Amino acid sequence: MLDAGSNTVRLAVCDVGDGVPLPVHTAKWKLRLSEHVGSDGCLGEPATERLVKALNEATAMAGQWAAPEPLAFATAVVRDAPDRVDVLRAVHRRTGLRLRVLPGEAEARLTFLGARRWMGWRSGPLALFDIGGGSLEVAFGRGRTPEFAASLPLGANRLTNEFFATADPPTPADVSALRRNVRHQLRDVSARIRWEHPNTAVATSRTFQQLARLCGAAPGRHGPFIDRVLRRRDLRRAIDRLASLPADERAELPGISGPRARQSLAGAIVGHTAMKLSGAKTLVICPWALREGILLRYLEDGADWWADLEQHDDAKRVGLDGVPREPRLPETRPLRVTAQPSPS
């Protein structure tokens, strides 16, 4: 599987013989595509060239492990680019890969599936939060798939570029402006989460993993089976710490990597606000997320499900050959919100 995100391209070669995606080999290529996005939001040729080069190297490495053609997908950094169709066609022409771009709500649903399978049925009604570079995915459900799922433009890198571009560390006014924006956009989704009263709230993504480590969770080298939680009160204190430091000093903190140091404050504000508004005092850190959700859906529903997914365009569905078509995407349900008073 190949995952093209805001910061990296990740390759995961998995053994799926027993119907469970067990990693055999992983590798990543640091691209930082979000840093190469133009003022108009387009990726352009230089970023596309970096993406193509990484995908070719990853495909060659997958071949060394005798893996079949990878399932390749891209997240918000490509999905939101105005020139995404040109980028996807260039990737197909120069690598032979069909790079899928899922709608944000579909990402939330598939991430929920991965988290549900990791957490198991004993976790009960489950709420999911996933912070990426470009978007925040939220979902809730009692079964295998969520009853509602939403994707919001609250990615850590997106918000950093929008609110924290002029000062490092950002000013208190910049931090307050970001908080207001996040609260406004999370109002309806968090009201639904509070109304549902989930038994368990989980967090996926590297952003949440690094924030949990900053707040005292076990390091990644201890393996995926160690219990890790992120407490809201600890995250609130971590925000003050991150806000007082420039990005290069944040990178020296436990868990905060150099490439993600600049966006760590925005990610922490989004995470804390989501927890507070939804009433979650703790989040369980779940190692399975979108990649595992896609693999599980592929294993359970077959190759036809994956073949039916096409890159999506806001105005029309366009195939790599330029012919408009209507793809079949994962079934979704509309978000219905019951208004609730905001927590104090």
Side-chain angles (χ1 to χ4, degrees):
M1 168 163 286
L2 281 171
D3 172 3
S6 298
N7 292 302
T8 60
V9 165
R10 293 178 179 270
L11 169 69
V13 179
C14 297
D15 180 356
V16 297
D18 293 327
V20 178
L22 300 176
V24 174
H25 177 75
T26 61
K28 65 181 180 180
W29 290 258
K30 294 180 180 179
L31 297 187
R32 301 185 187 180
L33 289 179
S34 55
E35 297 180 7
H36 299 272
V37 173
S39 58
D40 58 357
C42 292
L43 287 174
E45 179 56 32
T48 302
E49 177 61 34
R50 293 168 64 90
L51 177 61
V52 165
K53 181 180 179 182
L55 290 173
N56 273 323
E57 292 178 2
T59 302
M61 181 174 290
Q64 294 174 9
W65 288 84
E69 179 180 330
L71 308 179
F73 68 95
T75 52
V77 68
V78 176
R79 180 176 69 231
D80 296 339
D83 61 341
R84 61 185 171 275
V85 172
D86 294 334
V87 173
L88 295 171
R89 287 176 180 163
V91 167
H92 182 57
R93 183 177 66 253
R94 295 157 66 179
T95 70
L97 289 173
R98 296 184 64 87
L99 188 64
R100 294 335 196 245
V101 180
L102 303 178
E105 186 176 326
E107 285 191 16
R109 295 179 67 82
L110 290 163
T111 303
F112 181 92
L113 174 60
R116 167 61 79 189
R117 288 302 170 83
W118 180 271
M119 297 297 298
W121 297 111
R122 69 187 299 271
S123 59
L126 189 69
L128 166 83
F129 300 92
D130 182 291
I131 302 175
S135 61
L136 166 72
E137 275 66 57
V138 183
F140 170 84
R142 295 174 175 82
R144 170 179 177 263
T145 57
E147 295 169 26
F148 86 87
S151 180
L152 303 172
L154 295 176
N157 189 72
R158 180 199 295 268
L159 295 177
T160 298
N161 292 335
E162 184 176 350
F163 288 90
F164 297 160
T166 58
D168 183 25
T171 66
D174 291 337
V175 173
S176 296
L178 175 56
R179 284 187 189 276
R180 288 194 298 271
N181 176 72
V182 174
R183 282 200 300 267
H184 174 72
Q185 297 204 53
L186 273 171
R187 181 182 56 194
D188 291 345
V189 168
S190 60
R192 174 65 185 267
I193 295 290
R194 289 199 314 275
W195 182 73
E196 294 284 5
H197 295 292
N199 186 66
T200 306
V202 302
T204 60
S205 75
R206 288 292 295 165
T207 295
F208 272 123
Q209 290 171 5
Q210 293 195 2
L211 291 173
R213 176 71 184 102
L214 176 64
C215 293
R221 65 177 180 273
H222 291 180
F225 301 110
I226 297 293
D227 291 338
R228 295 178 174 88
V229 298
L230 176 61
R231 295 177 177 84
R232 191 170 80 201
R233 65 174 184 269
D234 295 336
L235 185 55
R236 181 63 187 86
R237 288 193 290 266
I239 289 174
D240 293 338
R241 189 178 184 187
L242 292 167
S244 69
L245 299 173
D248 58 347
E249 294 184 27
R250 291 179 204 158
E252 299 175 4
L253 297 174
I256 305 299
S257 65
R260 295 177 183 269
R262 180 172 172 266
Q263 67 186 48
S264 59
L265 174 59
I269 291 172
V270 172
H272 179 266
T273 304
M275 295 177 75
K276 183 175 182 179
L277 294 184
S278 63
K281 294 184 177 180
T282 62
L283 295 177
V284 178
I285 304 302
C286 176
W288 276 14
L290 178 59
R291 286 190 295 272
E292 289 77 15
I294 289 176
L295 278 171
L296 288 166
R297 185 72 188 271
Y298 180 85
L299 292 172
E300 293 168 5
D301 297 340
D304 288 345
W305 170 79
W306 180 253
D308 284 339
L309 294 175
E310 297 286 350
Q311 66 279 8
H312 94 267
D313 185 278
D314 293 336
K316 59 184 178 178
R317 309 296 184 180
V318 181
L320 292 173
D321 53 6
V323 178
R325 62 194 63 174
E326 290 295 331
R328 297 197 300 270
L329 292 172
E331 181 180 331
T332 60
R333 297 183 182 181
L335 170 65
R336 293 185 175 86
V337 176
T338 300
Q340 297 286 316
S342 298
S344 59

Coordinates of all heavy atoms in Angstrom, one line a residue, residues 57-121:
E57 N 10.1 5.1 -6.7 CA 11.0 4.4 -5.8 C 10.3 3.4 -4.9 O 10.7 2.3 -4.6 CB 11.8 5.4 -4.9 CG 12.8 6.3 -5.8 CD 13.5 7.3 -4.9 OE1 13.3 7.3 -3.7 OE2 14.3 8.1 -5.5
A58 N 9.1 3.9 -4.4 CA 8.3 3.0 -3.5 C 7.8 1.8 -4.3 O 7.8 0.7 -3.7 CB 7.2 3.8 -2.9
T59 N 7.4 2.0 -5.5 CA 6.9 0.9 -6.3 C 8.0 -0.2 -6.6 O 7.8 -1.4 -6.5 CB 6.3 1.4 -7.7 OG1 5.3 2.3 -7.4 CG2 5.8 0.2 -8.5
A60 N 9.2 0.4 -6.8 CA 10.4 -0.5 -7.1 C 10.7 -1.3 -5.8 O 11.0 -2.5 -5.8 CB 11.6 0.3 -7.5
M61 N 10.6 -0.7 -4.6 CA 10.9 -1.4 -3.4 C 9.8 -2.4 -3.1 O 10.1 -3.5 -2.6 CB 10.9 -0.4 -2.2 CG 11.2 -1.0 -0.9 SD 11.4 0.2 0.5 CE 13.0 0.9 0.0
A62 N 8.5 -2.1 -3.4 CA 7.5 -3.1 -3.2 C 7.8 -4.3 -4.1 O 7.5 -5.5 -3.7 CB 6.1 -2.5 -3.6
G63 N 8.3 -4.1 -5.3 CA 8.6 -5.2 -6.2 C 9.7 -6.1 -5.6 O 9.7 -7.3 -5.9
Q64 N 10.6 -5.5 -4.9 CA 11.7 -6.3 -4.2 C 11.1 -7.3 -3.2 O 11.8 -8.3 -2.9 CB 12.7 -5.4 -3.6 CG 13.5 -4.5 -4.6 CD 14.4 -3.5 -3.9 OE1 14.5 -3.5 -2.7 NE2 14.9 -2.6 -4.7
W65 N 9.9 -7.0 -2.7 CA 9.3 -7.8 -1.7 C 8.3 -8.7 -2.4 O 7.5 -9.4 -1.7 CB 8.7 -7.0 -0.6 CG 9.7 -6.4 0.3 CD1 10.3 -5.2 0.1 CD2 10.1 -6.9 1.5 NE1 11.2 -5.0 1.2 CE2 11.1 -6.0 2.1 CE3 9.8 -8.1 2.3 CZ2 11.7 -6.2 3.3 CZ3 10.5 -8.3 3.5 CH2 11.4 -7.4 4.0
A66 N 8.3 -8.8 -3.7 CA 7.4 -9.6 -4.5 C 5.9 -9.3 -4.2 O 5.0 -10.1 -4.2 CB 7.6 -11.1 -4.2
A67 N 5.7 -8.0 -3.9 CA 4.3 -7.5 -3.6 C 3.6 -7.2 -5.0 O 4.3 -6.8 -5.9 CB 4.3 -6.3 -2.8
P68 N 2.3 -7.4 -5.0 CA 1.6 -7.0 -6.2 C 1.5 -5.4 -6.4 O 2.1 -4.7 -5.5 CB 0.2 -7.5 -6.0 CG 0.0 -7.6 -4.5 CD 1.4 -7.9 -4.0
E69 N 0.9 -4.9 -7.4 CA 0.8 -3.5 -7.6 C 0.2 -2.9 -6.4 O -0.9 -3.3 -5.9 CB 0.0 -3.1 -8.8 CG -0.2 -1.6 -9.0 CD -1.0 -1.3 -10.3 OE1 -1.0 -2.1 -11.2 OE2 -1.7 -0.3 -10.3
P70 N 0.8 -1.8 -5.8 CA 0.3 -1.3 -4.5 C -1.0 -0.6 -4.7 O -1.3 -0.1 -5.8 CB 1.4 -0.3 -4.1 CG 2.6 -0.6 -4.9 CD 2.1 -1.2 -6.2
L71 N -1.8 -0.6 -3.6 CA -3.0 0.2 -3.5 C -2.5 1.6 -3.2 O -1.9 1.8 -2.1 CB -3.9 -0.3 -2.5 CG -4.4 -1.8 -2.5 CD1 -5.3 -2.1 -1.4 CD2 -5.0 -2.1 -3.9
A72 N -2.6 2.5 -4.1 CA -2.0 3.9 -3.9 C -3.1 4.9 -3.7 O -4.1 5.0 -4.5 CB -1.1 4.2 -5.1
F73 N -3.0 5.7 -2.7 CA -4.0 6.8 -2.5 C -3.3 8.0 -1.9 O -2.2 8.0 -1.4 CB -5.1 6.3 -1.5 CG -4.7 6.1 -0.1 CD1 -4.8 7.1 0.8 CD2 -4.1 4.9 0.3 CE1 -4.4 6.9 2.1 CE2 -3.7 4.7 1.6 CZ -3.8 5.7 2.5
A74 N -4.0 9.2 -2.1 CA -3.5 10.4 -1.6 C -4.6 11.1 -0.8 O -5.8 10.9 -1.0 CB -3.1 11.4 -2.8
T75 N -4.1 11.9 0.2 CA -5.1 12.5 1.1 C -5.3 14.0 0.7 O -5.1 14.4 -0.4 CB -4.6 12.4 2.6 OG1 -3.2 12.8 2.7 CG2 -4.6 10.9 3.0
A76 N -5.5 14.8 1.7 CA -6.1 16.2 1.4 C -5.1 17.1 0.6 O -5.6 17.9 -0.1 CB -6.4 16.9 2.8
V77 N -3.8 16.9 0.8 CA -2.9 17.8 0.1 C -3.1 17.7 -1.4 O -2.9 18.7 -2.2 CB -1.4 17.5 0.5 CG1 -1.0 16.1 -0.1 CG2 -0.5 18.6 0.0
V78 N -3.4 16.5 -2.0 CA -3.7 16.4 -3.4 C -5.2 16.6 -3.6 O -5.6 17.3 -4.6 CB -3.3 15.0 -3.9 CG1 -3.7 14.7 -5.3 CG2 -1.8 14.8 -3.7
R79 N -6.1 16.1 -2.8 CA -7.5 16.2 -3.0 C -7.9 17.7 -3.1 O -8.8 18.0 -3.9 CB -8.2 15.6 -1.8 CG -9.7 15.7 -1.9 CD -10.4 15.0 -0.7 NE -10.2 15.6 0.5 CZ -9.8 15.0 1.6 NH1 -9.5 13.7 1.6 NH2 -9.7 15.7 2.8
D80 N -7.3 18.6 -2.3 CA -7.7 20.0 -2.3 C -7.0 20.8 -3.3 O -7.3 22.0 -3.4 CB -7.5 20.6 -0.9 CG -8.4 19.9 0.2 OD1 -9.4 19.3 -0.2 OD2 -8.0 20.0 1.4
A81 N -6.0 20.3 -4.0 CA -5.3 21.1 -5.0 C -6.1 21.3 -6.2 O -6.7 20.4 -6.8 CB -4.0 20.3 -5.4
P82 N -6.3 22.6 -6.7 CA -7.0 22.9 -7.9 C -6.5 22.1 -9.1 O -7.3 21.9 -10.1 CB -6.9 24.4 -8.1 CG -6.6 24.9 -6.7 CD -5.8 23.8 -6.0
D83 N -5.2 21.8 -9.2 CA -4.6 21.1 -10.3 C -4.5 19.6 -10.1 O -3.7 18.9 -10.7 CB -3.3 21.7 -10.7 CG -2.3 21.5 -9.5 OD1 -2.7 21.3 -8.4 OD2 -1.0 21.6 -9.8
R84 N -5.4 19.0 -9.2 CA -5.2 17.6 -8.8 C -5.4 16.7 -10.0 O -4.8 15.6 -10.1 CB -6.2 17.3 -7.7 CG -7.7 17.4 -8.0 CD -8.5 17.2 -6.8 NE -9.9 17.5 -7.0 CZ -10.4 18.8 -6.9 NH1 -9.5 19.7 -6.5 NH2 -11.6 19.1 -7.1
V85 N -6.3 17.0 -10.9 CA -6.5 16.1 -12.0 C -5.2 16.0 -12.9 O -4.8 15.0 -13.3 CB -7.7 16.6 -12.9 CG1 -7.8 15.8 -14.2 CG2 -9.0 16.5 -12.1
D86 N -4.6 17.2 -13.1 CA -3.3 17.2 -13.8 C -2.2 16.4 -13.1 O -1.5 15.6 -13.7 CB -2.8 18.6 -14.0 CG -3.7 19.4 -14.9 OD1 -4.4 18.8 -15.8 OD2 -3.7 20.7 -14.8
V87 N -2.2 16.5 -11.7 CA -1.3 15.7 -10.9 C -1.5 14.2 -11.1 O -0.6 13.4 -11.3 CB -1.3 16.2 -9.5 CG1 -0.4 15.3 -8.6 CG2 -0.9 17.6 -9.3
L88 N -2.8 13.8 -10.9 CA -3.1 12.4 -11.0 C -2.8 11.8 -12.4 O -2.3 10.7 -12.5 CB -4.6 12.2 -10.6 CG -4.9 12.6 -9.2 CD1 -6.5 12.6 -9.0 CD2 -4.3 11.7 -8.2
R89 N -3.1 12.6 -13.4 CA -2.7 12.1 -14.8 C -1.2 12.0 -14.9 O -0.8 11.0 -15.6 CB -3.3 13.1 -15.8 CG -4.8 13.0 -15.9 CD -5.4 14.0 -16.9 NE -6.8 13.9 -17.0 CZ -7.6 14.9 -17.5 NH1 -7.0 16.0 -17.9 NH2 -8.9 14.7 -17.7
A90 N -0.5 13.0 -14.4 CA 1.0 12.9 -14.5 C 1.5 11.7 -13.8 O 2.4 11.0 -14.3 CB 1.6 14.2 -14.0
V91 N 1.0 11.4 -12.6 CA 1.4 10.2 -11.8 C 1.1 8.9 -12.6 O 1.9 8.0 -12.7 CB 0.7 10.2 -10.5 CG1 0.8 8.8 -9.8 CG2 1.2 11.3 -9.6
H92 N -0.1 8.9 -13.2 CA -0.5 7.7 -14.0 C 0.4 7.5 -15.2 O 0.9 6.4 -15.5 CB -1.9 7.8 -14.4 CG -2.4 6.6 -15.1 ND1 -2.4 5.3 -14.6 CD2 -3.0 6.5 -16.4 CE1 -2.9 4.5 -15.5 NE2 -3.2 5.1 -16.6
R93 N 0.7 8.6 -15.9 CA 1.5 8.5 -17.1 C 3.0 8.1 -16.8 O 3.6 7.4 -17.5 CB 1.5 9.9 -17.8 CG 2.2 9.9 -19.1 CD 2.1 11.3 -19.8 NE 2.7 12.4 -19.1 CZ 2.1 13.3 -18.4 NH1 0.8 13.3 -18.3 NH2 2.7 14.2 -17.8
R94 N 3.5 8.6 -15.7 CA 5.0 8.5 -15.4 C 5.3 7.4 -14.4 O 6.5 7.0 -14.2 CB 5.5 9.8 -14.9 CG 5.4 10.9 -16.0 CD 5.4 12.3 -15.4 NE 6.7 12.7 -14.8 CZ 6.9 13.9 -14.3 NH1 5.9 14.8 -14.3 NH2 8.1 14.1 -13.7
T95 N 4.3 6.8 -13.8 CA 4.5 5.7 -12.9 C 3.7 4.4 -13.2 O 4.0 3.3 -12.7 CB 4.2 6.1 -11.4 OG1 2.8 6.2 -11.2 CG2 4.9 7.4 -11.0
G96 N 2.6 4.6 -13.9 CA 1.7 3.5 -14.2 C 0.7 3.3 -13.0 O -0.2 2.4 -13.1
L97 N 0.8 4.0 -11.9 CA -0.1 3.9 -10.8 C -1.4 4.7 -11.0 O -1.3 5.8 -11.5 CB 0.6 4.3 -9.5 CG 1.7 3.5 -9.0 CD1 2.4 4.2 -7.8 CD2 1.2 2.1 -8.5
R98 N -2.5 4.1 -10.5 CA -3.7 4.9 -10.4 C -3.8 5.4 -9.0 O -4.2 4.6 -8.1 CB -4.9 4.0 -10.8 CG -4.9 3.5 -12.2 CD -6.2 2.7 -12.6 NE -7.4 3.6 -12.5 CZ -7.9 4.3 -13.5 NH1 -7.2 4.4 -14.6 NH2 -8.9 5.0 -13.3
L99 N -3.5 6.6 -8.8 CA -3.5 7.2 -7.4 C -4.9 7.6 -7.1 O -5.4 8.6 -7.7 CB -2.5 8.4 -7.4 CG -2.2 9.0 -6.0 CD1 -1.5 8.0 -5.1 CD2 -1.4 10.3 -6.2
R100 N -5.5 7.0 -6.1 CA -6.9 7.3 -5.8 C -6.9 8.5 -4.8 O -6.0 8.6 -4.0 CB -7.6 6.1 -5.1 CG -7.9 4.8 -5.9 CD -8.0 4.9 -7.3 NE -8.7 3.8 -7.9 CZ -8.0 2.9 -8.7 NH1 -6.8 3.1 -9.0 NH2 -8.7 1.9 -9.2
V101 N -7.9 9.3 -4.9 CA -8.2 10.4 -4.0 C -9.6 10.3 -3.5 O -10.5 10.5 -4.3 CB -7.9 11.8 -4.7 CG1 -8.2 12.9 -3.7 CG2 -6.5 11.9 -5.2
L102 N -9.7 10.0 -2.2 CA -11.0 9.7 -1.7 C -11.6 11.0 -1.1 O -10.9 11.9 -0.6 CB -10.9 8.7 -0.5 CG -10.3 7.4 -0.8 CD1 -10.3 6.6 0.5 CD2 -11.1 6.6 -1.8
P103 N -12.9 11.2 -1.2 CA -13.6 12.3 -0.5 C -13.3 12.2 1.0 O -13.1 11.1 1.5 CB -15.1 12.1 -0.8 CG -15.1 11.3 -2.0 CD -13.9 10.4 -2.0
G104 N -13.2 13.4 1.7 CA -12.9 13.4 3.1 C -13.8 12.5 3.9 O -13.3 11.8 4.9
E105 N -15.1 12.5 3.6 CA -16.0 11.7 4.4 C -15.7 10.2 4.3 O -15.8 9.4 5.2 CB -17.5 12.0 4.0 CG -18.5 11.3 4.9 CD -19.9 11.7 4.5 OE1 -20.1 12.9 4.2 OE2 -20.8 10.8 4.7
A106 N -15.3 9.8 3.1 CA -15.0 8.4 2.8 C -13.7 8.1 3.6 O -13.6 7.0 4.2 CB -14.7 8.1 1.4
E107 N -12.7 9.0 3.7 CA -11.6 8.8 4.5 C -11.9 8.5 6.0 O -11.4 7.7 6.7 CB -10.6 9.9 4.4 CG -9.8 10.0 3.2 CD -8.7 11.1 3.2 OE1 -8.4 11.5 4.4 OE2 -8.2 11.5 2.2
A108 N -12.9 9.4 6.5 CA -13.3 9.2 7.9 C -14.0 7.8 8.1 O -13.7 7.2 9.1 CB -14.3 10.3 8.2
R109 N -14.8 7.4 7.2 CA -15.4 6.1 7.3 C -14.4 4.9 7.3 O -14.6 4.0 8.1 CB -16.5 5.9 6.2 CG -17.6 6.9 6.3 CD -18.6 6.7 5.1 NE -19.3 5.5 5.3 CZ -20.3 5.3 6.0 NH1 -20.8 6.3 6.7 NH2 -20.9 4.1 6.1
L110 N -13.4 5.0 6.4 CA -12.5 3.9 6.4 C -11.5 4.0 7.6 O -11.1 2.9 8.0 CB -11.7 4.1 5.1 CG -12.5 3.7 3.8 CD1 -11.8 4.2 2.5 CD2 -12.7 2.2 3.7
T111 N -11.2 5.1 8.0 CA -10.4 5.2 9.2 C -11.1 4.7 10.4 O -10.5 4.0 11.3 CB -10.0 6.7 9.5 OG1 -9.3 7.2 8.4 CG2 -9.1 6.8 10.7
F112 N -12.4 4.9 10.5 CA -13.2 4.4 11.6 C -13.2 2.8 11.5 O -13.1 2.2 12.6 CB -14.7 4.8 11.4 CG -15.6 4.3 12.5 CD1 -15.8 5.1 13.7 CD2 -16.2 3.1 12.4 CE1 -16.6 4.6 14.7 CE2 -17.1 2.6 13.4 CZ -17.3 3.4 14.5
L113 N -13.3 2.3 10.3 CA -13.2 0.8 10.2 C -11.9 0.3 10.8 O -11.9 -0.7 11.5 CB -13.4 0.4 8.7 CG -13.2 -1.1 8.4 CD1 -14.2 -1.9 9.2 CD2 -13.3 -1.3 6.9
G114 N -10.8 0.9 10.4 CA -9.5 0.5 10.9 C -9.5 0.5 12.5 O -9.0 -0.4 13.1
A115 N -9.9 1.6 13.0 CA -9.9 1.8 14.5 C -10.9 0.8 15.1 O -10.5 0.2 16.2 CB -10.3 3.2 14.8
R116 N -12.0 0.6 14.6 CA -13.0 -0.4 15.2 C -12.4 -1.8 15.2 O -12.5 -2.5 16.2 CB -14.3 -0.4 14.4 CG -15.2 -1.6 14.7 CD -15.7 -1.5 16.1 NE -16.7 -0.6 16.4 CZ -17.2 -0.2 17.6 NH1 -16.6 -0.8 18.6 NH2 -18.1 0.7 17.7
R117 N -11.7 -2.2 14.2 CA -11.1 -3.5 14.2 C -10.0 -3.6 15.2 O -9.8 -4.7 15.8 CB -10.6 -3.9 12.8 CG -11.8 -4.1 11.8 CD -12.6 -5.3 12.3 NE -13.9 -5.4 11.6 CZ -14.0 -6.1 10.4 NH1 -12.9 -6.6 9.9 NH2 -15.1 -6.1 9.8
W118 N -9.2 -2.6 15.4 CA -8.2 -2.6 16.4 C -8.7 -2.6 17.8 O -8.3 -3.4 18.6 CB -7.2 -1.4 16.2 CG -6.1 -1.5 17.2 CD1 -6.1 -0.9 18.5 CD2 -4.8 -2.1 17.1 NE1 -4.9 -1.2 19.1 CE2 -4.1 -1.9 18.3 CE3 -4.2 -2.8 16.1 CZ2 -2.8 -2.4 18.5 CZ3 -2.9 -3.3 16.3 CH2 -2.3 -3.1 17.5
M119 N -9.7 -1.8 18.0 CA -10.2 -1.6 19.4 C -11.2 -2.8 19.8 O -11.2 -3.1 21.0 CB -11.0 -0.3 19.5 CG -10.2 0.9 19.3 SD -8.9 1.1 20.5 CE -9.8 1.3 22.0
G120 N -11.9 -3.3 18.8 CA -12.8 -4.5 19.1 C -14.1 -4.0 19.6 O -14.4 -2.8 19.9
W121 N -15.0 -4.9 19.7 CA -16.4 -4.6 20.1 C -16.5 -4.2 21.6 O -17.5 -3.5 21.9 CB -17.3 -5.8 19.8 CG -17.4 -6.1 18.4 CD1 -16.9 -7.2 17.8 CD2 -17.9 -5.3 17.3 NE1 -17.1 -7.2 16.4 CE2 -17.7 -6.0 16.1 CE3 -18.6 -4.1 17.3 CZ2 -18.2 -5.5 14.9 CZ3 -19.0 -3.6 16.1 CH2 -18.8 -4.3 14.9

